[in-house]
Amino acid sequence: MDQVRVRFAPSPTGYLHIGGARTALYNWLYARKHKGRFILRIEDTDTERSTEESIREILSGLTWLGLDWDEGPFFQSERIGNHLDAVQKLLETGHAYKCFCTREELDAKRKTAQKEKQDYKYDGTCRNLSPDEISIREQNASPCVVRFKTPDEDGSVVFQDRVYGLIEKKYVDIEDFVVLRSDGKPLYLLSSAVDDKTDKITHVIRGQDGLGNTPKQILIYNALGYAPPVFAHVSLTLDTKKAKISKRKHGEVVTVAYYKEKGFIPWALCNFLALLGWSNSDDREFFSREELIEAFSLEGIARHNSVFNYQPGDPKNFTDPKAISMNARYISMLSIDELAGLVREELRSADLWDDAYCGEKKQWFENTLELIRTRLHTIRDFSSKGRPYFSDDFTYEENAVKKNLKKDQNLKQYLTTLADCFEKLDTFDLHSTENAIRDLCENLGVKPGLIINAVRTAVTGQSAGPGLFEILMAMGKDKTVDRLKKAVDLISNEQV
Ligand code: GLU
């Protein structure tokens, strides 16, 4: 069998959509699984809408996701010569013809069809113009388009889609479609088929919205004498109200750049996207790159549309909760070395990095990551929620202060006493700190929960977090004592 060659062919007219990224991922997986080639082709022939910025965003998004391409990026706009040659060949072989019908004429016919409640289809007026009729029109410089001549016979285009199964489209239902505009520009439909041939594409894996083009493209392939590739159309991803997900409606959450910005682990996003429309027979959820390459098959792609479970403006979730929990699971599963690498970059960009975390404080750094990682959802959380572990300059959550530090008037006194007790400890470890708190509670006759919650908020500014004594070990004695005193000052000042 020929080597598998697949392509991702985005039009650079905007951002890299997560649906597009999913299509790219499926192509990449298929290429890697079959030891084939993954080709990147930028379909930039729409010069008005294509932008350099969009090309940059697509390339950086794919790179960030780790979807490395083997060939390209090729630019469709650089191959217009090929597309025009193909149009010429179609004309010469009688598979296409020049059509001089004016827009006004066509609009009038369309309107009549609408009135009669019939589907409009080009009626083939220019199909059989004689060479003389054509040359008269050309001498008059009448504008013309080139139309593909759909076969007259009773037959149909039949193909086996690897996701949707056998698809048949009758010739009578395919109008003589335009392949070259009157301004001399080839249509995308033709350019894409010609480029697929140039790039020796064996499998076209693309969005289900391309399904309508496939019969026409197969006609083009056949007319040019090319064997059509295998097609696999990937179902769409819709929102909970069954509408397409878009930036206009849902905001940045549909862009790959958003997940980078939010501190996602690239492979966690790939894993989430893979399962959005593809499943394995055993319903497994977590796949390493190698495992997913091994498990992936076109047949596992769902025919039904998948649901991106996100409500714009949802205050509780910044994206589909499944994506968040997938990322959180990755954070807890990564090797400590991998995690440390990602967190290092994050802390660097937040100005919280200390080179000692790679040197004499390496053990402390790794222990701290182990301590906090199970509660964090994104890498960004390490510099926000995790900030109190890496800096003294952190904020106290208002609710936590209210709930845990201002709950009892006497806490000011209790925390001062505890700070003294801690200061006097010779060894500051899990055991001694726990004993100090228990003793204090017994002496004062207060419940341990009151003190434990207050101390957690005093040293981290938060009300939730890891076990208190582990937190205290991560902070160390001096920091703990300082922060207890600082918390006392905070409540004293606020109570004045
Ligand atoms: N440029 C097309 C798009 O972005 C690609 C369609 C295809 O893969 O054939 O929708």
Side-chain angles (χ1 to χ4, degrees), residues 6-8 19-34 38 67 163 205-206 232-235 237 270-279 292 296-298 300-302 306:
V6 293
R7 84 314 194 259
F8 177 50
R22 187 187 57 158
T23 304
L25 172 66
Y26 289 172
N27 275 283
W28 180 87
L29 288 168
Y30 197 72
R32 295 291 170 263
K33 173 158 186 158
H34 295 278
F38 175 51
L67 305 181
V163 176
I205 305 168
R206 65 179 172 197
H233 288 90
V234 179
S235 51
T237 294
C270 286
N271 195 156
F272 167 73
L273 291 177
L275 296 184
L276 204 56
W278 173 85
S279 61
L292 193 57
F296 185 74
S297 73
L298 296 177
I301 297 175
S306 51

Side-chain angles (χ1 to χ4, degrees), residues 333-385:
M333 278 171 3
L334 284 183
S335 74
I336 194 70
D337 278 352
E338 278 177 291
L339 182 67
L342 293 169
V343 176
R344 180 176 62 222
E345 291 318 306
E346 175 55 28
L347 294 186
R348 268 202 183 122
S349 65
D351 226 2
L352 294 174
W353 176 250
D354 179 348
D355 280 337
Y357 296 158
C358 273
E360 71 270 22
K361 289 191 192 159
K362 184 164 189 272
Q363 196 54 50
W364 175 86
F365 182 59
E366 292 182 359
N367 290 347
T368 302
L369 297 189
E370 286 294 7
L371 179 66
I372 61 179
R373 64 151 118 185
T374 51
R375 294 175 172 268
L376 302 183
H377 296 109
T378 69
I379 296 295
R380 187 111 314 155
D381 285 347
F382 284 84
S383 66
S384 52
K385 293 196 184 118

Side-chain angles (χ1 to χ4, degrees), residues 442-454:
E442 247 168 56
N443 293 341
L444 299 170
V446 297
K447 287 199 177 125
L450 178 76
I451 303 297
I452 287 175
N453 289 336

